[in-house]
Amino acid sequence: MSFELVMPRAGLTMVEGSIVSWKVEEGAQVKKGNHVLEIENEKTTMDVESIEDGFLHITAQVGEVIAVGKRIAIIAETKEEYDKIVSSVEIVDNSETSDVKVETTIDKLGATGKISESVTISNNGRAKATGLAKKIAKESGIDITQIKGTGPNGRIVSKDVNEFINNNVPVSQFTNIPLEKPEVIPWIGIKRTIANTMYESLQSMAQTTATVEVDVTRILEMRENLVAKQEFLGCKITMNDLLSMAVVKTALKHPLANATFDGNAVTTYPYVNISVAVGAEHGLMVPVVKYADKMTLTQLSNRIKDFAVRAKEGRLQSGEQSEGTITITNVGMFPIDHATPVINPPQTTIVGFGRSVKKMVVIDDAPCIRSMMNVFVTYDHRVYDGLGVGRILADVKEYIENPELIMA
Protein backbone atom coordinates (compact mmCIF):
# COMPACT_ATOMS: atom_id res chain seq x y z
CA MET A 1 0.00 0.00 0.00
CA SER A 2 1.13 3.56 -0.62
CA PHE A 3 -0.05 6.96 0.61
CA GLU A 4 -0.09 10.41 -0.94
CA LEU A 5 1.47 13.35 0.90
CA VAL A 6 -0.33 16.51 -0.26
CA MET A 7 0.21 20.25 0.09
CA PRO A 8 -1.46 21.13 3.43
CA ARG A 9 -3.68 24.14 4.03
CA ALA A 10 -1.89 26.38 6.54
CA GLY A 11 -4.61 28.96 7.08
CA LEU A 12 -8.10 29.64 5.74
CA THR A 13 -6.89 31.84 2.85
CA MET A 14 -4.06 29.60 1.64
CA VAL A 15 -4.59 28.29 -1.90
CA GLU A 16 -1.05 27.22 -2.80
CA GLY A 17 2.38 26.73 -1.29
CA SER A 18 5.93 26.41 -2.53
CA ILE A 19 8.54 23.81 -1.68
CA VAL A 20 11.38 25.46 0.27
CA SER A 21 13.47 22.36 1.01
CA TRP A 22 13.28 18.62 1.49
CA LYS A 23 14.72 17.53 4.83
CA VAL A 24 15.18 13.91 3.69
CA GLU A 25 16.60 12.38 0.53
CA GLU A 26 14.65 10.64 -2.22
CA GLY A 27 13.97 7.05 -1.19
CA ALA A 28 14.61 7.70 2.50
CA GLN A 29 12.79 5.59 5.07
CA VAL A 30 10.60 7.88 7.18
CA LYS A 31 8.43 7.51 10.24
CA LYS A 32 4.99 8.98 10.83
CA GLY A 33 5.43 12.44 12.36
CA ASN A 34 8.96 13.00 10.96
CA HIS A 35 9.53 16.45 9.44
CA VAL A 36 10.18 15.67 5.79
CA LEU A 37 10.02 19.07 4.10
CA GLU A 38 9.55 22.80 4.57
CA ILE A 39 6.92 24.77 2.65
CA GLU A 40 6.18 28.47 2.32
CA ASN A 41 2.88 30.23 1.74
CA GLU A 42 2.07 33.90 1.36
CA LYS A 43 2.67 34.65 5.05
CA THR A 44 5.03 32.18 6.67
CA THR A 45 7.05 28.99 6.43
CA MET A 46 6.23 25.68 8.12
CA ASP A 47 7.43 22.09 8.39
CA VAL A 48 5.36 19.23 6.96
CA GLU A 49 5.30 15.84 8.68
CA SER A 50 5.14 12.37 7.20
CA ILE A 51 1.62 10.93 7.41
CA GLU A 52 2.75 7.27 7.57
CA ASP A 53 5.79 5.04 7.96
CA GLY A 54 7.47 4.05 4.70
CA PHE A 55 9.80 5.01 1.87
CA LEU A 56 9.52 8.52 0.42
CA HIS A 57 9.22 9.22 -3.31
CA ILE A 58 9.40 12.96 -4.05
CA THR A 59 7.10 14.27 -6.82
CA ALA A 60 7.37 18.05 -6.22
CA GLN A 61 10.79 19.67 -6.37
CA VAL A 62 12.25 22.64 -4.49
CA GLY A 63 10.86 25.89 -5.90
CA GLU A 64 7.67 24.38 -7.30
CA VAL A 65 4.35 26.06 -6.45
CA ILE A 66 1.72 23.44 -5.62
CA ALA A 67 -2.02 23.95 -5.06
CA VAL A 68 -3.45 22.97 -1.67
CA GLY A 69 -4.48 19.31 -1.70
CA LYS A 70 -2.24 18.37 -4.63
CA ARG A 71 0.37 15.64 -4.27
CA ILE A 72 3.94 16.49 -3.30
CA ALA A 73 5.20 13.00 -2.45
CA ILE A 74 4.26 9.33 -2.20
CA ILE A 75 5.03 7.18 0.82
CA ALA A 76 5.34 3.46 0.02
CA GLU A 77 4.99 1.00 2.89
CA THR A 78 7.71 -1.31 1.57
CA LYS A 79 10.90 -0.98 -0.45
CA GLU A 80 9.38 -3.19 -3.17
CA GLU A 81 6.43 -0.83 -3.57
CA TYR A 82 8.80 2.15 -3.66
CA ASP A 83 10.84 0.53 -6.46
CA LYS A 84 7.65 -0.03 -8.48
CA ILE A 85 6.60 3.59 -8.04
CA VAL A 86 9.89 5.17 -9.14
CA SER A 87 10.12 2.90 -12.20
CA SER A 88 6.52 3.27 -13.37
CA VAL A 89 7.28 6.18 -15.75
CA GLU A 90 10.35 6.48 -17.96
CA ILE A 91 11.45 8.88 -20.67
CA VAL A 92 13.37 7.05 -23.37
CA ASP A 93 16.01 9.06 -25.21
CA ASN A 94 16.38 8.13 -28.91
CA SER A 95 19.99 8.98 -29.75
CA GLU A 96 19.16 9.38 -33.46
CA THR A 97 16.74 12.26 -32.91
CA SER A 98 16.36 15.22 -30.61
CA ASP A 99 12.72 14.37 -29.95
CA VAL A 100 11.86 12.81 -26.60
CA LYS A 101 9.40 9.96 -26.35
CA VAL A 102 7.36 9.57 -23.15
CA GLU A 103 6.27 6.15 -21.99
CA THR A 104 3.62 6.21 -19.26
CA THR A 105 2.33 3.28 -17.21
CA ILE A 106 -0.41 3.21 -14.61
CA ASP A 107 0.59 2.55 -11.01
CA LYS A 108 -0.40 -1.06 -10.31
CA LEU A 109 -0.44 -0.63 -6.54
CA GLY A 110 -4.18 -0.02 -6.41
CA ALA A 111 -3.97 2.16 -3.31
CA THR A 112 -3.02 5.27 -5.25
CA GLY A 113 -4.60 4.69 -8.66
CA LYS A 114 -2.36 7.51 -9.88
CA ILE A 115 0.09 7.95 -12.73
CA SER A 116 3.55 8.19 -11.22
CA GLU A 117 5.42 11.38 -12.03
CA SER A 118 8.84 9.83 -11.57
CA VAL A 119 11.00 10.45 -14.65
CA THR A 120 14.19 8.80 -15.86
CA ILE A 121 16.22 9.12 -19.05
CA SER A 122 17.69 6.08 -20.78
CA ASN A 123 20.14 6.26 -23.68
CA ASN A 124 21.46 3.54 -25.96
CA GLY A 125 24.16 2.79 -23.38
CA ARG A 126 21.39 1.98 -20.92
CA ALA A 127 22.48 4.80 -18.61
CA LYS A 128 19.57 6.40 -16.74
CA ALA A 129 19.81 10.10 -15.86
CA THR A 130 17.67 13.03 -14.84
CA GLY A 131 17.09 15.79 -17.36
CA LEU A 132 19.32 18.21 -15.45
CA ALA A 133 22.15 15.65 -15.25
CA LYS A 134 21.96 15.04 -18.99
CA LYS A 135 21.96 18.79 -19.72
CA ILE A 136 25.06 19.39 -17.57
CA ALA A 137 26.87 16.46 -19.17
CA LYS A 138 26.02 17.63 -22.69
CA GLU A 139 27.14 21.24 -22.02
CA SER A 140 30.39 19.93 -20.51
CA GLY A 141 31.12 17.49 -23.35
CA ILE A 142 30.93 14.49 -21.01
CA ASP A 143 29.91 10.98 -22.08
CA ILE A 144 27.19 10.30 -19.53
CA THR A 145 27.61 6.52 -19.84
CA GLN A 146 30.95 6.88 -18.04
CA ILE A 147 29.24 8.11 -14.90
CA LYS A 148 27.95 5.90 -12.11
CA GLY A 149 24.57 7.02 -10.78
CA THR A 150 23.69 7.28 -7.10
CA GLY A 151 19.99 8.04 -7.53
CA PRO A 152 17.08 5.60 -7.25
CA ASN A 153 17.72 2.42 -9.27
CA GLY A 154 21.17 3.70 -10.19
CA ARG A 155 19.85 6.83 -11.88
CA ILE A 156 22.42 9.53 -12.62
CA VAL A 157 21.59 12.83 -10.93
CA SER A 158 23.17 16.27 -11.35
CA LYS A 159 25.37 15.73 -8.28
CA ASP A 160 26.95 12.67 -9.94
CA VAL A 161 27.80 14.64 -13.09
CA ASN A 162 29.28 17.55 -11.13
CA GLU A 163 31.41 15.21 -9.01
CA PHE A 164 32.62 13.40 -12.15
CA ILE A 165 33.64 16.73 -13.71
CA ASN A 166 35.44 17.87 -10.56
CA ASN A 167 37.34 14.60 -10.22
CA ASN A 168 38.15 13.77 -13.83
CA VAL A 169 38.04 16.76 -16.16
CA PRO A 170 40.94 19.26 -16.28
CA VAL A 171 40.03 22.91 -15.86
CA SER A 172 41.70 23.73 -19.19
CA GLN A 173 38.86 21.93 -20.98
CA PHE A 174 36.50 24.67 -19.88
CA THR A 175 38.48 27.69 -21.06
CA ASN A 176 35.59 28.71 -23.34
CA ILE A 177 32.88 28.04 -20.76
CA PRO A 178 32.06 30.59 -18.01
CA LEU A 179 32.87 29.11 -14.61
CA GLU A 180 30.15 31.18 -12.97
CA LYS A 181 26.61 31.26 -14.25
CA PRO A 182 23.72 33.64 -13.48
CA GLU A 183 21.61 32.69 -10.51
CA VAL A 184 17.88 32.32 -11.10
CA ILE A 185 15.88 33.09 -7.94
CA PRO A 186 12.26 31.84 -8.03
CA TRP A 187 9.97 34.58 -6.74
CA ILE A 188 7.59 32.41 -4.75
CA GLY A 189 5.72 32.29 -1.46
CA ILE A 190 5.91 35.41 0.67
CA LYS A 191 8.05 37.36 -1.81
CA ARG A 192 5.65 36.74 -4.66
CA THR A 193 2.68 37.78 -2.50
CA ILE A 194 4.44 41.01 -1.50
CA ALA A 195 5.34 41.74 -5.13
CA ASN A 196 1.74 41.22 -6.27
CA THR A 197 0.35 43.29 -3.41
CA MET A 198 2.67 46.23 -4.12
CA TYR A 199 1.92 46.11 -7.85
CA GLU A 200 -1.84 45.96 -7.30
CA SER A 201 -1.58 48.78 -4.75
CA LEU A 202 0.04 51.13 -7.25
CA GLN A 203 -2.33 50.07 -10.05
CA SER A 204 -5.52 50.56 -8.02
CA MET A 205 -4.87 53.84 -6.16
CA ALA A 206 -4.06 57.45 -6.96
CA GLN A 207 -1.01 57.43 -4.69
CA THR A 208 0.81 60.70 -4.00
CA THR A 209 3.63 61.47 -1.57
CA ALA A 210 4.28 64.68 0.37
CA THR A 211 7.32 65.43 2.57
CA VAL A 212 8.19 67.77 5.42
CA GLU A 213 11.50 68.33 7.22
CA VAL A 214 11.24 68.27 11.01
CA ASP A 215 13.59 69.16 13.85
CA VAL A 216 14.19 65.99 15.90
CA THR A 217 16.70 67.47 18.35
CA ARG A 218 14.33 67.54 21.31
CA ILE A 219 12.74 64.12 20.67
CA LEU A 220 16.24 62.60 20.47
CA GLU A 221 17.03 64.19 23.84
CA MET A 222 13.79 62.79 25.27
CA ARG A 223 14.70 59.36 23.96
CA GLU A 224 18.12 59.55 25.68
CA ASN A 225 16.43 60.42 28.98
CA LEU A 226 14.00 57.51 28.63
CA VAL A 227 16.84 55.11 27.83
CA ALA A 228 18.61 56.24 30.99
CA LYS A 229 15.46 55.23 32.89
CA GLN A 230 14.96 51.88 31.12
CA GLU A 231 15.46 49.88 34.32
CA PHE A 232 12.70 51.88 35.97
CA LEU A 233 10.44 51.67 32.92
CA GLY A 234 11.08 47.98 32.32
CA CYS A 235 11.92 48.45 28.63
CA LYS A 236 14.25 50.38 26.33
CA ILE A 237 12.35 53.06 24.44
CA THR A 238 13.47 53.49 20.83
CA MET A 239 13.11 56.37 18.42
CA ASN A 240 10.72 54.21 16.42
CA ASP A 241 8.48 53.84 19.50
CA LEU A 242 8.22 57.61 19.86
CA LEU A 243 7.57 58.14 16.14
CA SER A 244 4.92 55.41 16.19
CA MET A 245 3.15 57.10 19.09
CA ALA A 246 3.27 60.41 17.19
CA VAL A 247 1.54 58.72 14.24
CA VAL A 248 -1.07 57.17 16.53
CA LYS A 249 -1.87 60.59 18.04
CA THR A 250 -2.06 62.16 14.58
CA ALA A 251 -4.27 59.38 13.16
CA LEU A 252 -6.90 59.99 15.84
CA LYS A 253 -7.22 63.60 14.66
CA HIS A 254 -7.55 62.74 10.94
CA PRO A 255 -10.23 60.10 10.27
CA LEU A 256 -9.59 59.90 6.50
CA ALA A 257 -5.94 59.00 7.18
CA ASN A 258 -6.97 56.32 9.69
CA ALA A 259 -9.23 54.61 7.20
CA THR A 260 -9.71 51.99 4.50
CA PHE A 261 -11.23 52.44 1.04
CA ASP A 262 -12.64 49.64 -1.13
CA GLY A 263 -13.37 51.82 -4.16
CA ASN A 264 -16.99 52.36 -3.19
CA ALA A 265 -16.96 53.53 0.42
CA VAL A 266 -14.48 54.89 2.95
CA THR A 267 -14.48 53.26 6.38
CA THR A 268 -13.06 55.33 9.25
CA TYR A 269 -12.19 53.89 12.65
CA PRO A 270 -12.58 55.25 16.20
CA TYR A 271 -9.42 53.36 17.19
CA VAL A 272 -5.92 53.03 15.68
CA ASN A 273 -4.58 49.67 14.56
CA ILE A 274 -1.08 50.64 13.48
CA SER A 275 0.68 48.43 10.92
CA VAL A 276 4.44 48.42 11.51
CA ALA A 277 6.63 47.53 8.51
CA VAL A 278 9.41 45.10 9.51
CA GLY A 279 12.17 44.16 7.07
CA ALA A 280 13.02 40.43 7.17
CA GLU A 281 15.31 38.30 5.00
CA HIS A 282 12.32 36.38 3.62
CA GLY A 283 10.35 39.54 2.80
CA LEU A 284 8.60 42.58 4.26
CA MET A 285 6.30 41.74 7.17
CA VAL A 286 3.65 44.17 8.44
CA PRO A 287 2.31 43.07 11.85
CA VAL A 288 -0.55 45.10 13.28
CA VAL A 289 -0.57 46.57 16.81
CA LYS A 290 -4.28 46.66 17.53
CA TYR A 291 -5.83 49.42 19.64
CA ALA A 292 -2.49 51.23 19.86
CA ASP A 293 -4.32 54.40 20.88
CA LYS A 294 -5.26 52.72 24.18
CA MET A 295 -1.64 51.85 25.03
CA THR A 296 1.02 53.64 27.01
CA LEU A 297 4.40 54.27 25.39
CA THR A 298 5.97 51.30 27.19
CA GLN A 299 3.10 48.99 26.20
CA LEU A 300 3.42 50.06 22.58
CA SER A 301 7.20 49.61 22.72
CA ASN A 302 6.94 46.06 24.08
CA ARG A 303 4.31 45.05 21.53
CA ILE A 304 6.33 46.41 18.58
CA LYS A 305 9.51 44.65 19.77
CA ASP A 306 7.67 41.34 20.15
CA PHE A 307 6.23 41.61 16.65
CA ALA A 308 9.56 42.65 15.14
CA VAL A 309 11.41 39.64 16.59
CA ARG A 310 8.78 37.13 15.52
CA ALA A 311 8.39 38.71 12.07
CA LYS A 312 12.12 38.37 11.37
CA GLU A 313 12.01 34.74 12.52
CA GLY A 314 8.94 33.96 10.42
CA ARG A 315 6.81 33.20 13.51
CA LEU A 316 3.89 35.60 13.09
CA GLN A 317 0.54 33.97 13.75
CA SER A 318 -2.55 34.00 11.55
CA GLY A 319 -4.40 37.33 11.83
CA GLU A 320 -1.45 39.31 13.19
CA GLN A 321 -0.98 41.12 9.86
CA SER A 322 -4.62 42.03 9.28
CA GLU A 323 -7.09 44.77 10.28
CA GLY A 324 -4.56 47.62 10.14
CA THR A 325 -5.92 51.17 9.76
CA ILE A 326 -2.66 53.10 9.04
CA THR A 327 0.95 52.04 8.42
CA ILE A 328 4.32 53.34 9.61
CA THR A 329 7.67 52.60 7.95
CA ASN A 330 11.00 53.78 9.37
CA VAL A 331 14.10 53.67 7.14
CA GLY A 332 16.16 55.89 9.44
CA MET A 333 18.73 53.15 10.04
CA PHE A 334 19.76 53.47 6.38
CA PRO A 335 21.23 56.46 4.48
CA ILE A 336 17.77 57.33 3.12
CA ASP A 337 16.55 60.91 3.29
CA HIS A 338 13.51 60.76 0.99
CA ALA A 339 11.24 57.89 -0.02
CA THR A 340 7.83 57.22 -1.55
CA PRO A 341 6.42 54.32 0.48
CA VAL A 342 3.64 52.25 -1.08
CA ILE A 343 0.27 52.11 0.67
CA ASN A 344 -0.77 48.83 2.28
CA PRO A 345 -4.23 48.28 0.72
CA PRO A 346 -7.03 48.85 1.54
CA GLN A 347 -5.59 51.50 3.86
CA THR A 348 -5.45 55.10 2.68
CA THR A 349 -2.19 56.25 4.32
CA ILE A 350 1.37 55.24 5.11
CA VAL A 351 3.76 57.46 7.10
CA GLY A 352 7.51 57.08 6.63
CA PHE A 353 10.58 58.45 8.42
CA GLY A 354 14.07 58.98 7.01
CA ARG A 355 17.40 59.28 8.80
CA SER A 356 18.26 62.15 11.13
CA VAL A 357 21.13 64.37 10.03
CA LYS A 358 22.77 67.32 11.79
CA LYS A 359 22.39 70.49 9.74
CA MET A 360 22.91 74.21 9.97
CA VAL A 361 19.44 75.77 10.31
CA VAL A 362 18.09 79.18 11.22
CA ILE A 363 16.12 79.57 14.45
CA ASP A 364 14.99 83.02 15.60
CA ASP A 365 17.11 84.53 12.79
CA ALA A 366 20.25 82.88 14.15
CA PRO A 367 22.13 79.94 12.60
CA CYS A 368 22.55 76.83 14.75
CA ILE A 369 23.19 73.10 14.46
CA ARG A 370 20.09 70.92 14.79
CA SER A 371 19.22 67.28 14.06
CA MET A 372 16.81 67.22 11.13
CA MET A 373 14.75 64.44 9.57
CA ASN A 374 12.28 64.08 6.70
CA VAL A 375 8.78 62.74 7.23
CA PHE A 376 6.96 61.50 4.13
CA VAL A 377 3.30 60.60 3.79
CA THR A 378 1.89 58.62 0.87
CA TYR A 379 -1.88 58.95 0.64
CA ASP A 380 -4.73 57.88 -1.62
CA HIS A 381 -5.63 61.05 -3.51
CA ARG A 382 -9.09 59.64 -4.17
CA VAL A 383 -9.87 59.90 -0.45
CA TYR A 384 -8.25 63.20 0.52
CA ASP A 385 -6.14 65.84 -1.15
CA GLY A 386 -3.23 68.22 -0.56
CA LEU A 387 -5.14 70.19 2.06
CA GLY A 388 -5.68 67.04 4.11
CA VAL A 389 -2.09 65.78 3.84
CA GLY A 390 -0.81 69.26 4.69
CA ARG A 391 -2.73 69.20 7.95
CA ILE A 392 -1.51 65.68 8.72
CA LEU A 393 2.15 66.65 8.17
CA ALA A 394 1.67 69.76 10.29
CA ASP A 395 0.39 67.66 13.22
CA VAL A 396 3.16 65.04 12.87
CA LYS A 397 5.71 67.88 12.87
CA GLU A 398 4.10 69.41 15.96
CA TYR A 399 4.24 66.14 17.92
CA ILE A 400 7.85 65.42 16.95
CA GLU A 401 9.20 68.91 17.58
CA ASN A 402 7.28 69.14 20.87
CA PRO A 403 7.63 65.54 22.13
CA GLU A 404 6.00 66.22 25.48
CA LEU A 405 2.72 66.28 23.52
CA ILE A 406 3.24 62.61 22.66
CA MET A 407 2.98 61.75 26.34
CA ALA A 408 -0.14 63.85 26.89
Side-chain angles (χ1 to χ4, degrees):
M1 182 178 294
S2 61
F3 308 89
E4 286 193 346
L5 183 63
V6 302
M7 178 63 68
R9 185 184 299 277
L12 295 177
T13 62
M14 179 177 170
V15 296
E16 63 183 17
S18 59
I19 309 297
V20 176
S21 65
W22 285 96
K23 298 181 179 294
V24 295
E25 299 290 336
E26 166 69 28
Q29 187 172 11
V30 297
K31 297 290 186 182
K32 183 177 181 180
N34 287 166
H35 290 166
V36 295
L37 79 153
E38 184 180 30
I39 66 168
E40 182 180 64
N41 62 12
E42 69 275 12
K43 293 184 178 180
T44 188
T45 59
M46 63 174 289
D47 290 327
V48 178
E49 299 178 352
S50 173
I51 56 174
E52 296 289 344
D53 296 349
F55 296 85
L56 182 73
H57 170 52
I58 297 171
T59 61
Q61 304 303 316
V62 172
E64 285 192 56
V65 178
I66 308 296
V68 168
K70 295 297 183 181
R71 187 176 69 193
I72 55 180
I74 298 174
I75 300 173
E77 277 193 319
T78 67
K79 187 64 166 62
E80 290 74 20
E81 287 177 333
Y82 168 79
D83 290 339
K84 289 181 181 180
I85 290 172
V86 298
S87 62
S88 60
V89 176
E90 291 190 351
I91 294 179
V92 179
D93 177 24
N94 186 339
S95 61
E96 297 180 358
T97 176
S98 60
D99 294 334
V100 176
K101 178 183 178 183
V102 180
E103 294 184 356
T104 305
T105 60
I106 303 298
D107 186 350
K108 303 298 184 181
L109 299 178
T112 63
K114 300 287 185 178
I115 296 176
S116 174
E117 296 177 353
S118 177
V119 175
T120 62
I121 296 177
S122 176
N123 61 21
N124 287 341
R126 304 306 300 167
K128 295 181 179 180
T130 65
L132 178 59
K134 183 183 177 185
K135 181 175 183 291
I136 296 172
K138 182 177 180 181
E139 291 178 348
S140 304
I142 302 299
D143 182 358
I144 201 166
T145 62
Q146 300 177 13
I147 303 173
K148 181 178 180 181
T150 61
N153 297 326
R155 184 183 310 162
I156 300 168
V157 296
S158 59
K159 180 184 69 173
D160 301 327
V161 181
N162 289 326
E163 288 182 354
F164 180 86
I165 292 172
N166 292 335
N167 296 331
N168 298 279
V169 182
V171 176
S172 59
Q173 182 173 331
F174 300 99
T175 53
N176 296 324
I177 301 176
L179 295 180
E180 296 184 5
K181 294 185 178 181
E183 180 184 5
V184 178
I185 304 174
W187 223 240
I188 57 178
I190 296 172
K191 291 184 177 180
R192 185 170 72 168
T193 300
I194 294 170
N196 291 339
T197 300
M198 294 297 96
Y199 178 79
E200 292 171 2
S201 175
L202 289 171
Q203 295 297 310
S204 63
M205 297 185 195
Q207 298 193 28
T208 307
T209 303
T211 304
V212 66
E213 187 176 48
V214 299
D215 186 341
V216 293
T217 305
R218 290 186 59 201
I219 198 171
L220 287 172
E221 292 173 351
M222 171 181 278
R223 193 256 168 173
E224 289 180 2
N225 292 334
L226 291 171
V227 169
K229 299 292 184 180
Q230 62 180 298
E231 185 175 347
F232 178 81
L233 295 173
C235 69
K236 184 178 181 179
I237 301 298
T238 67
M239 184 66 169
N240 191 65
D241 298 333
L242 293 168
L243 295 175
S244 297
M245 187 62 83
V247 171
V248 170
K249 295 281 188 178
T250 301
L252 285 173
K253 298 177 63 177
H254 300 275
L256 292 181
N258 187 52
T260 56
F261 182 45
D262 62 6
N264 297 309
V266 176
T267 302
T268 62
Y269 301 88
Y271 50 83
V272 179
N273 289 351
I274 188 167
S275 302
V276 183
V278 179
E281 293 300 324
H282 52 278
L284 183 68
M285 301 287 101
V286 192
V288 178
V289 179
K290 297 177 181 178
Y291 305 106
D293 56 303
K294 304 298 191 295
M295 295 181 177
T296 64
L297 180 61
T298 55
Q299 289 172 333
L300 180 63
S301 175
N302 287 328
R303 187 64 58 85
I304 290 176
K305 288 183 178 66
D306 172 60
F307 275 143
V309 170
R310 291 195 288 115
K312 291 178 180 178
E313 296 176 352
R315 295 191 294 108
L316 290 177
Q317 301 299 311
S318 176
E320 290 184 336
Q321 296 187 78
S322 60
E323 300 182 31
T325 60
I326 189 171
T327 298
I328 177 176
T329 179
N330 187 353
V331 294
M333 68 290 296
F334 304 112
I336 298 176
D337 297 313
H338 298 273
T340 55
V342 179
I343 295 173
N344 186 17
Q347 297 175 19
T348 64
T349 308
I350 181 171
V351 183
F353 300 95
R355 64 174 176 173
S356 62
V357 179
K358 288 188 176 182
K359 291 183 178 181
M360 180 71 72
V361 297
V362 176
I363 297 180
D364 296 330
D365 294 330
C368 61
I369 301 294
R370 306 289 287 183
S371 294
M372 307 298 292
M373 180 181 71
N374 290 313
V375 179
F376 21 89
V377 173
T378 298
Y379 61 102
D380 190 342
H381 213 306
R382 299 174 302 169
V383 178
Y384 60 95
D385 53 21
L387 177 62
V389 76
R391 290 170 174 168
I392 291 168
L393 287 171
D395 283 348
V396 173
K397 178 179 171 70
E398 186 72 18
Y399 279 116
I400 291 175
E401 294 186 344
N402 299 281
E404 64 275 5
L405 297 176
I406 294 176
M407 313 302 289

